[in-house]
Short mmCIF file of all heavy atoms in Angstrom, two decimals:
data_model
loop_
_atom_site.label_atom_id
_atom_site.label_comp_id
_atom_site.label_asym_id
_atom_site.label_seq_id
_atom_site.Cartn_x
_atom_site.Cartn_y
_atom_site.Cartn_z
N ILE C 12 -26.64 20.34 13.67
CA ILE C 12 -26.18 18.96 13.55
C ILE C 12 -27.23 18.07 12.81
O ILE C 12 -27.04 16.92 12.74
CB ILE C 12 -25.62 18.41 14.76
CG1 ILE C 12 -26.77 18.19 15.81
CG2 ILE C 12 -24.57 19.15 15.44
CD1 ILE C 12 -26.43 17.43 17.14
N LEU C 13 -28.32 18.69 12.43
CA LEU C 13 -29.33 17.85 11.84
C LEU C 13 -28.84 17.35 10.61
O LEU C 13 -28.30 18.02 9.68
CB LEU C 13 -30.58 18.77 11.56
CG LEU C 13 -31.79 17.97 11.05
CD1 LEU C 13 -32.31 17.02 12.11
CD2 LEU C 13 -32.88 18.98 10.68
N TRP C 14 -29.04 15.96 10.47
CA TRP C 14 -28.49 15.32 9.19
C TRP C 14 -29.72 14.72 8.39
O TRP C 14 -30.57 14.16 8.94
CB TRP C 14 -27.58 14.16 9.57
CG TRP C 14 -26.62 13.74 8.49
CD1 TRP C 14 -26.72 12.82 7.63
CD2 TRP C 14 -25.30 14.34 8.28
NE1 TRP C 14 -25.65 12.70 6.77
CE2 TRP C 14 -24.76 13.65 7.19
CE3 TRP C 14 -24.57 15.43 8.88
CZ2 TRP C 14 -23.45 14.03 6.73
CZ3 TRP C 14 -23.37 15.73 8.36
CH2 TRP C 14 -22.81 14.96 7.30
N PRO C 15 -29.68 14.80 7.05
CA PRO C 15 -30.84 14.39 6.22
C PRO C 15 -30.82 12.79 6.44
O PRO C 15 -29.99 12.18 6.40
CB PRO C 15 -30.48 14.80 4.81
CG PRO C 15 -28.97 15.09 4.86
CD PRO C 15 -28.75 15.58 6.20
N LYS C 16 -32.19 12.35 6.37
CA LYS C 16 -32.39 10.86 6.61
C LYS C 16 -32.94 10.31 5.15
O LYS C 16 -33.51 11.02 4.33
CB LYS C 16 -33.45 10.65 7.60
CG LYS C 16 -32.99 11.11 9.04
CD LYS C 16 -34.11 10.74 10.02
CE LYS C 16 -33.75 11.14 11.38
NZ LYS C 16 -34.76 10.73 12.39
N PRO C 17 -32.59 9.07 4.95
CA PRO C 17 -33.15 8.36 3.81
C PRO C 17 -34.63 8.33 3.90
O PRO C 17 -35.24 8.47 4.79
CB PRO C 17 -32.59 6.96 3.81
CG PRO C 17 -31.47 7.03 4.80
CD PRO C 17 -31.80 8.13 5.75
N PRO C 18 -35.38 8.28 2.63
CA PRO C 18 -36.76 8.09 2.57
C PRO C 18 -37.28 6.93 3.20
O PRO C 18 -38.48 7.03 3.83
CB PRO C 18 -37.08 8.23 1.10
CG PRO C 18 -35.95 7.69 0.42
CD PRO C 18 -34.80 8.22 1.22
N ASP C 19 -36.60 5.90 3.21
CA ASP C 19 -37.11 4.69 3.95
C ASP C 19 -36.22 4.39 5.07
O ASP C 19 -35.11 4.80 5.23
CB ASP C 19 -36.96 3.44 2.98
CG ASP C 19 -37.77 3.65 1.72
OD1 ASP C 19 -38.94 4.28 1.86
OD2 ASP C 19 -37.30 3.29 0.54
N GLY C 20 -37.03 3.89 6.27
CA GLY C 20 -36.15 3.77 7.49
C GLY C 20 -35.07 2.76 7.38
O GLY C 20 -34.03 2.95 8.03
N LYS C 21 -35.20 1.61 6.59
CA LYS C 21 -34.12 0.53 6.45
C LYS C 21 -33.81 0.47 5.00
O LYS C 21 -34.66 0.10 4.23
CB LYS C 21 -34.52 -0.75 7.16
CG LYS C 21 -33.58 -1.73 7.21
CD LYS C 21 -34.11 -3.03 8.07
CE LYS C 21 -32.96 -3.99 8.17
NZ LYS C 21 -33.44 -5.28 8.92
N ILE C 22 -32.50 0.55 4.78
CA ILE C 22 -32.05 0.39 3.32
C ILE C 22 -31.08 -0.78 3.20
O ILE C 22 -30.20 -1.07 4.11
CB ILE C 22 -31.17 1.65 2.93
CG1 ILE C 22 -32.07 2.98 3.11
CG2 ILE C 22 -30.65 1.53 1.57
CD1 ILE C 22 -33.21 3.08 2.21
N ALA C 23 -31.27 -1.56 2.27
CA ALA C 23 -30.44 -2.80 2.01
C ALA C 23 -29.06 -2.33 1.58
O ALA C 23 -28.91 -1.31 0.98
CB ALA C 23 -31.14 -3.69 0.85
N PHE C 24 -28.01 -3.24 1.81
CA PHE C 24 -26.71 -2.75 1.59
C PHE C 24 -26.47 -2.50 0.11
O PHE C 24 -25.68 -1.57 -0.19
CB PHE C 24 -25.69 -3.99 2.10
CG PHE C 24 -24.31 -3.68 1.81
CD1 PHE C 24 -23.58 -2.69 2.26
CD2 PHE C 24 -23.75 -4.46 0.74
CE1 PHE C 24 -22.25 -2.45 1.98
CE2 PHE C 24 -22.35 -4.32 0.36
CZ PHE C 24 -21.70 -3.34 1.00
N VAL C 25 -26.91 -3.34 -0.70
CA VAL C 25 -26.71 -3.06 -2.19
C VAL C 25 -27.31 -1.75 -2.60
O VAL C 25 -26.73 -1.27 -3.76
CB VAL C 25 -27.34 -4.27 -3.01
CG1 VAL C 25 -26.66 -5.55 -2.66
CG2 VAL C 25 -28.85 -4.38 -2.83
N LYS C 26 -28.28 -1.29 -2.00
CA LYS C 26 -28.71 0.19 -2.33
C LYS C 26 -28.03 1.28 -1.64
O LYS C 26 -28.53 2.40 -1.76
CB LYS C 26 -30.22 0.19 -2.03
CG LYS C 26 -31.06 -0.80 -3.14
CD LYS C 26 -32.54 -0.64 -2.72
CE LYS C 26 -33.31 -1.53 -3.68
NZ LYS C 26 -34.80 -1.48 -3.46
N SER C 27 -27.06 0.87 -0.93
CA SER C 27 -26.34 2.08 -0.09
C SER C 27 -25.21 2.53 -1.01
O SER C 27 -24.94 2.12 -2.14
CB SER C 27 -25.68 1.49 1.10
OG SER C 27 -24.64 0.42 0.83
N THR C 28 -24.65 3.64 -0.65
CA THR C 28 -23.63 4.30 -1.45
C THR C 28 -22.32 3.50 -1.62
O THR C 28 -21.73 2.92 -0.77
CB THR C 28 -23.13 5.67 -0.58
OG1 THR C 28 -24.43 6.54 -0.58
CG2 THR C 28 -22.23 6.40 -1.61
N ASP C 29 -22.02 3.39 -2.95
CA ASP C 29 -20.80 2.76 -3.38
C ASP C 29 -19.80 3.75 -3.94
O ASP C 29 -20.11 4.24 -5.03
CB ASP C 29 -21.07 1.70 -4.41
CG ASP C 29 -19.89 0.82 -4.95
OD1 ASP C 29 -18.80 1.05 -4.25
OD2 ASP C 29 -19.96 0.18 -5.87
N PRO C 30 -18.67 4.00 -3.40
CA PRO C 30 -17.71 4.98 -3.80
C PRO C 30 -17.10 4.49 -5.25
O PRO C 30 -16.75 5.38 -6.11
CB PRO C 30 -16.67 5.18 -2.74
CG PRO C 30 -16.77 3.77 -2.03
CD PRO C 30 -18.15 3.48 -2.10
N ALA C 31 -17.11 3.30 -5.36
CA ALA C 31 -16.45 2.78 -6.75
C ALA C 31 -17.42 3.15 -7.92
O ALA C 31 -16.87 3.32 -9.03
CB ALA C 31 -16.24 1.24 -6.60
N HIS C 32 -18.69 2.98 -7.75
CA HIS C 32 -19.55 3.39 -8.86
C HIS C 32 -19.81 4.98 -9.01
O HIS C 32 -20.23 5.44 -9.95
CB HIS C 32 -20.91 2.68 -8.59
CG HIS C 32 -20.96 1.22 -9.06
ND1 HIS C 32 -20.74 0.14 -8.24
CD2 HIS C 32 -21.10 0.82 -10.38
CE1 HIS C 32 -20.88 -0.92 -8.93
NE2 HIS C 32 -21.10 -0.60 -10.26
N SER C 33 -19.60 5.60 -7.87
CA SER C 33 -19.83 7.06 -7.87
C SER C 33 -18.65 7.72 -8.61
O SER C 33 -17.67 7.27 -8.82
CB SER C 33 -19.89 7.56 -6.36
OG SER C 33 -20.94 6.91 -5.78
N ASP C 34 -18.84 8.97 -8.92
CA ASP C 34 -17.82 9.68 -9.65
C ASP C 34 -18.07 11.24 -9.41
O ASP C 34 -19.06 11.68 -8.78
CB ASP C 34 -17.72 9.50 -11.16
CG ASP C 34 -19.00 9.87 -11.83
OD1 ASP C 34 -19.96 10.32 -11.13
OD2 ASP C 34 -19.10 9.74 -13.14
N PHE C 35 -17.07 12.04 -9.92
CA PHE C 35 -17.26 13.44 -9.74
C PHE C 35 -16.67 14.09 -11.16
O PHE C 35 -15.84 13.45 -11.85
CB PHE C 35 -16.53 14.13 -8.60
CG PHE C 35 -14.91 14.22 -8.62
CD1 PHE C 35 -14.33 15.30 -9.34
CD2 PHE C 35 -14.24 13.24 -8.09
CE1 PHE C 35 -12.95 15.28 -9.39
CE2 PHE C 35 -12.84 13.30 -8.11
CZ PHE C 35 -12.26 14.36 -8.80
N VAL C 36 -17.16 15.29 -11.55
CA VAL C 36 -16.87 15.98 -12.64
C VAL C 36 -16.38 17.43 -12.28
O VAL C 36 -17.22 17.99 -11.36
CB VAL C 36 -17.78 16.08 -13.80
CG1 VAL C 36 -17.90 14.64 -14.36
CG2 VAL C 36 -19.13 16.56 -13.31
N ILE C 37 -15.41 18.07 -12.83
CA ILE C 37 -15.26 19.44 -12.68
C ILE C 37 -16.07 20.22 -13.68
O ILE C 37 -16.09 20.09 -14.83
CB ILE C 37 -13.70 19.82 -12.87
CG1 ILE C 37 -12.90 19.18 -11.86
CG2 ILE C 37 -13.49 21.35 -12.80
CD1 ILE C 37 -11.37 19.21 -12.00
N VAL C 38 -16.91 21.14 -13.07
CA VAL C 38 -17.75 22.15 -13.95
C VAL C 38 -16.78 22.94 -14.69
O VAL C 38 -15.91 23.71 -14.05
CB VAL C 38 -18.68 22.75 -13.16
CG1 VAL C 38 -19.66 23.77 -13.86
CG2 VAL C 38 -19.67 21.81 -12.40
N LYS C 39 -16.81 23.23 -16.02
CA LYS C 39 -15.92 23.89 -16.89
C LYS C 39 -14.41 23.61 -16.58
O LYS C 39 -13.76 24.49 -16.13
CB LYS C 39 -16.25 25.48 -16.52
CG LYS C 39 -17.59 25.85 -16.87
CD LYS C 39 -17.88 27.34 -16.57
CE LYS C 39 -19.30 27.79 -16.87
NZ LYS C 39 -19.53 29.21 -16.66
N PRO C 40 -14.02 22.34 -16.85
CA PRO C 40 -12.63 21.99 -16.55
C PRO C 40 -11.66 22.82 -17.42
O PRO C 40 -10.50 22.85 -17.12
CB PRO C 40 -12.60 20.55 -16.83
CG PRO C 40 -13.80 20.24 -17.82
CD PRO C 40 -14.83 21.24 -17.44
N SER C 41 -12.09 23.15 -18.69
CA SER C 41 -11.20 23.85 -19.53
C SER C 41 -11.22 25.37 -19.45
O SER C 41 -10.78 26.14 -20.30
CB SER C 41 -11.43 23.50 -20.92
OG SER C 41 -12.89 23.73 -21.37
N GLY C 42 -11.90 25.94 -18.41
CA GLY C 42 -12.10 27.24 -18.09
C GLY C 42 -10.93 28.05 -17.81
O GLY C 42 -9.80 27.29 -17.42
N PHE C 43 -10.98 29.32 -17.86
CA PHE C 43 -9.64 30.14 -17.42
C PHE C 43 -9.91 30.51 -15.96
O PHE C 43 -10.81 31.09 -15.56
CB PHE C 43 -9.56 31.39 -18.31
CG PHE C 43 -8.48 32.19 -18.08
CD1 PHE C 43 -7.20 31.82 -18.59
CD2 PHE C 43 -8.53 33.34 -17.28
CE1 PHE C 43 -6.06 32.62 -18.42
CE2 PHE C 43 -7.47 34.17 -17.11
CZ PHE C 43 -6.11 33.74 -17.75
N PHE C 44 -8.94 30.06 -15.20
CA PHE C 44 -9.07 30.36 -13.61
C PHE C 44 -7.80 31.22 -13.18
O PHE C 44 -6.67 30.99 -13.70
CB PHE C 44 -8.98 29.01 -12.98
CG PHE C 44 -10.25 28.19 -13.26
CD1 PHE C 44 -10.19 27.10 -14.02
CD2 PHE C 44 -11.42 28.44 -12.56
CE1 PHE C 44 -11.30 26.39 -14.32
CE2 PHE C 44 -12.55 27.61 -12.83
CZ PHE C 44 -12.49 26.57 -13.75
N ARG C 45 -8.10 32.12 -12.31
CA ARG C 45 -7.02 32.85 -11.60
C ARG C 45 -7.15 32.65 -10.16
O ARG C 45 -8.15 32.23 -9.69
CB ARG C 45 -7.19 34.30 -11.91
CG ARG C 45 -6.85 34.68 -13.41
CD ARG C 45 -6.56 36.15 -13.64
NE ARG C 45 -6.10 36.54 -14.96
CZ ARG C 45 -4.91 36.58 -15.52
NH1 ARG C 45 -3.89 36.28 -14.65
NH2 ARG C 45 -4.67 36.92 -16.57
N VAL C 46 -6.08 33.01 -9.43
CA VAL C 46 -6.01 32.90 -7.97
C VAL C 46 -7.19 33.84 -7.44
O VAL C 46 -7.39 34.86 -7.89
CB VAL C 46 -4.79 33.26 -7.43
CG1 VAL C 46 -4.81 33.48 -5.89
CG2 VAL C 46 -3.66 32.37 -7.82
N GLY C 47 -8.07 33.13 -6.51
CA GLY C 47 -9.18 33.97 -6.01
C GLY C 47 -10.47 33.59 -6.53
O GLY C 47 -11.53 33.91 -6.01
N ASP C 48 -10.42 32.88 -7.84
CA ASP C 48 -11.64 32.35 -8.37
C ASP C 48 -12.27 31.19 -7.71
O ASP C 48 -11.60 30.63 -6.80
CB ASP C 48 -11.45 31.99 -9.96
CG ASP C 48 -11.18 33.19 -10.79
OD1 ASP C 48 -11.34 34.29 -10.23
OD2 ASP C 48 -10.71 33.07 -11.88
N GLU C 49 -13.50 30.87 -8.05
CA GLU C 49 -14.22 29.71 -7.40
C GLU C 49 -14.26 28.58 -8.40
O GLU C 49 -14.62 28.80 -9.58
CB GLU C 49 -15.56 30.19 -6.96
CG GLU C 49 -16.26 29.02 -6.19
CD GLU C 49 -17.61 29.53 -5.60
OE1 GLU C 49 -18.48 29.79 -6.34
OE2 GLU C 49 -17.72 29.68 -4.38
N LEU C 50 -13.97 27.35 -7.88
CA LEU C 50 -14.04 26.20 -8.90
C LEU C 50 -15.12 25.29 -8.24
O LEU C 50 -15.29 25.09 -7.07
CB LEU C 50 -12.77 25.42 -8.67
CG LEU C 50 -12.72 24.12 -9.45
CD1 LEU C 50 -12.68 24.29 -10.96
CD2 LEU C 50 -11.38 23.27 -9.07
N GLU C 51 -16.04 24.89 -9.15
CA GLU C 51 -17.22 24.11 -8.82
C GLU C 51 -16.90 22.67 -9.26
O GLU C 51 -16.53 22.43 -10.42
CB GLU C 51 -18.40 24.72 -9.40
CG GLU C 51 -19.82 23.89 -9.03
CD GLU C 51 -20.96 24.52 -9.65
OE1 GLU C 51 -20.91 25.58 -10.23
OE2 GLU C 51 -22.06 23.91 -9.63
#
């Protein structure tokens, strides 16, 4: 259950994670996939 800690003990709110600014991308979105393959 060990969880990674920030490098600094106290982080200001504006420097905390904002889901609105964050994003994700599919690696190889136009790749050829079949059932059983792994998607990253």
Side-chain angles (χ1 to χ4, degrees):
I12 64 174
L13 186 64
W14 203 268
K16 295 182 178 181
D19 300 322
K21 189 174 182 180
I22 305 296
F24 171 71
V25 294
K26 294 185 178 181
S27 65
T28 303
D29 179 15
H32 279 98
S33 305
D34 65 355
F35 74 86
V36 292
I37 297 176
V38 179
K39 299 179 181 179
S41 58
F43 184 80
F44 296 100
R45 287 191 180 275
V46 173
D48 290 345
E49 186 176 69
L50 177 68
E51 181 180 349

